[in-house]
Structures are given as C-alpha cells and as structure tokens.
Amino acid sequence: MKKFLIAFIILAVVGGAAWFVLFRPERISQETLTQDFETHRQAYEDIALYLKDHKITTEITDIPIAGNNYDGVVYEDSDEYRAFMDGVMEIMSEDHDAIISDGRTVEFVYHSTGGKLCKLCGSVIFNGVNTVEGKVTVPLTTDGWHLYIVRG
C-alpha cells in the first residue's frame, strides 16, 4: 500500500507539472485584449501618437527608470512627453512585453501566459489606417487601432 501511495504522489506531481508546462490556459483572448485596450486607452493613445508624430523608431521593453532613456526617444520638457512617459509606465506595468515602433506603426505586445501547446501571442497595433501590412487583424476602432492574435 505504501508503494502505491508513493507512486500516486509522484504521478500527481509529474502530471501537474506537465499540465502547467504544456496545457496551462492562455489569458490572451479577443475579449481580454479589447477590455484592456478600453481600460488603458488614453495611455495607448498618448504613447502611439507621440511615437508616430515624432517618427521615432524604438523598442521599449521595461518601465522608465530615472536617468535611463529609450533608444530614439529624446527627453523634452513638454506635456506631450510627460503624457508619453506616464503612458509607458502604465502600459509596461501591466501584462506587456514590449512597445515596438518603426515611426509609422506602434505595436503593444502582450505577455503570453499559456502552456507550450496553448500559447498565443497578442498585440494591439496603431497605424492610423484600416489595415496592417503583413498581418490579419481585427479592427478595434475606426481610426487605426487593430487587435492581432496568433498562435505562438
């Protein structure tokens, strides 16, 4: 009986670990990303418009730290810049891995939470037009905001 109990415990631990690594459910969905966009819309807009208006190419992967600048982003004493930095702080403290800008398109990349067999990659994209080149997206608004989800 003791061997059976030990085998059962080992099987339960291995099975739980396998489920966690392979089959853990993903939090990224069209509904959750749309809700997050609506909740933080002002921050998204402040960041996207600043990067697009200034034609800044950059990849932001962490929250702002005093004295630390992002590549391509130059400090300026303006309300627009402060709104941009506040927006970066708000967005990057949520479930985001990166904010990527090429000067025309800004992509807000979400952190994937699913297991290896359930992994999804999601992002909110702003480019100011109705389509995103090279990606099949769902429009979030009529003014150039898109939702992009792909199996990762």
Side-chain angles (χ1 to χ4, degrees):
M1 184 70 174
K2 187 175 179 180
K3 289 181 183 180
F4 177 72
L5 184 59
I6 292 171
F8 178 75
I9 291 172
I10 291 171
L11 184 61
V13 169
V14 170
W19 172 86
F20 184 80
V21 170
L22 298 174
F23 300 108
R24 180 178 27 145
E26 179 67 73
R27 287 187 294 174
I28 291 177
S29 70
Q30 186 170 346
E31 295 78 26
T32 57
L33 295 189
T34 301
Q35 181 180 2
D36 184 67
F37 173 74
E38 292 300 329
T39 302
H40 302 286
R41 184 167 183 169
Q42 188 61 52
Y44 280 106
E45 288 178 352
D46 290 340
I47 296 166
L49 293 176
Y50 184 82
L51 293 172
K52 189 171 180 187
D53 290 348
H54 291 84
K55 295 178 179 44
I56 295 173
T57 299
T58 191
E59 183 171 341
I60 299 169
T61 57
D62 58 0
I63 59 174
I65 299 172
N68 183 16
N69 290 331
Y70 301 115
D71 289 337
V73 180
V74 179
Y75 171 80
E76 62 180 69
D77 188 18
S78 69
D79 291 337
E80 186 180 28
Y81 179 80
R82 281 187 284 285
F84 163 75
M85 290 304 283
D86 289 344
V88 169
M89 182 65 129
E90 181 178 334
I91 294 298
M92 292 307 292
S93 64
E94 294 292 320
D95 290 334
H96 291 79
D97 282 340
I99 301 170
I100 303 167
S101 173
D102 65 4
R104 296 177 319 238
T105 301
V106 181
E107 184 171 6
F108 300 86
V109 181
Y110 283 83
H111 179 71
S112 180
T113 60
K116 296 287 184 189
L117 300 177
C118 301
K119 190 172 287 270
L120 294 176
C121 299
S123 58
V124 170
I125 301 171
F126 175 75
N127 63 359
V129 296
N130 292 332
T131 61
V132 176
E133 188 176 321
K135 297 181 180 181
V136 177
T137 62
V138 175
L140 280 171
T141 66
T142 58
D143 59 348
W145 287 96
H146 309 273
L147 179 62
Y148 176 67
I149 298 177
V150 65
R151 186 152 302 280

